[in-house]
Amino acid sequence: MKKIIQLLIVGIIVGSIGYFIGWKSGYNEAEKYQNLKGIESIKSDLKEREMEMISSLLKGKARIETKKEGGIFNRKEVQYFIAEVRNNSLLAKAKDIDVKVIFLSKTKSEIGDIEFTVYEFIQPGQSRIITKEVNVSDDVAEFRWNVIIALAE
């Protein structure tokens, strides 16, 4: 009986040592692979991921402004949707950005919406001011906006 217990203990110890040596060896191999993977390859992988999710990396703030335009005799008020959109990616440029603006009443009901595309580049880490003339009725109390989709380069 003592010999069986001794064999079991020795077997558990040897098995544990073998497991940890194998685990450490596998960990070292994975780390070595990451170190061998060049910086350009890592940047390429990151850019590819950012290009797939560029729409979610575009954030910003917006407002609707009313400006008086025209000459002395034909002066009129024109409303503009003005947004500052920031590209929060590290490597991917954003372009051809589709924006949707939803106009809401005081009761938060949707009154209407507009969609438009901005055909400009936004470099990584940079911002761009977007200006679009809109026709907002007096019933509009607030609005929501978001980037529907954008392309990346």
Side-chain angles (χ1 to χ4, degrees):
M1 185 74 164
K2 280 186 172 182
K3 287 196 175 214
I4 294 174
I5 292 175
Q6 288 175 345
L7 285 173
L8 275 172
I9 292 173
V10 169
I12 290 173
I13 292 172
V14 169
S16 298
I17 290 171
Y19 171 78
F20 286 112
I21 289 172
W23 177 77
K24 185 69 173 170
S25 173
Y27 178 79
N28 288 340
E29 286 297 317
E31 188 175 350
K32 197 183 304 180
Y33 173 73
Q34 283 294 342
N35 289 338
L36 292 177
K37 194 175 181 183
I39 189 74
E40 291 305 318
S41 176
I42 293 170
K43 284 173 66 175
S44 174
D45 290 348
L46 176 61
K47 185 173 183 178
E48 190 175 305
R49 286 187 187 145
E50 286 180 346
M51 288 174 70
E52 292 172 1
M53 55 186 273
I54 193 69
S55 297
S56 64
L57 294 171
L58 298 174
K59 303 291 181 198
K61 54 187 175 184
R63 65 187 184 280
I64 294 181
E65 272 186 19
T66 303
K67 297 182 179 181
K68 294 185 180 188
E69 293 184 348
I72 296 173
F73 298 110
N74 58 352
R75 196 162 197 81
K76 64 179 182 174
E77 289 186 347
V78 181
Q79 296 161 324
Y80 290 96
F81 170 80
I82 301 172
E84 180 179 359
V85 180
R86 179 168 181 79
N87 181 355
N88 291 317
S89 72
L90 296 173
L91 299 170
K93 286 191 285 189
K95 68 176 187 174
D96 301 345
I97 304 161
D98 290 340
V99 176
K100 183 172 186 176
V101 182
I102 301 170
F103 301 107
L104 304 170
S105 69
K106 292 177 186 174
T107 61
K108 309 278 191 247
S109 298
E110 287 187 21
I111 297 174
D113 62 38
I114 60 167
E115 289 183 25
F116 58 92
T117 304
V118 179
Y119 295 103
E120 292 190 34
F121 287 102
I122 303 179
Q123 300 294 329
Q126 300 292 314
S127 296
R128 171 86 56 197
I129 302 293
I130 296 172
T131 303
K132 175 74 174 169
E133 185 176 337
V134 294
N135 187 11
V136 180
S137 73
D138 293 338
D139 297 332
V140 173
E142 58 186 87
F143 67 95
R144 287 191 321 245
W145 73 284
N146 63 335
V147 173
I148 299 170
I149 194 165
L151 300 177
E153 189 173 282

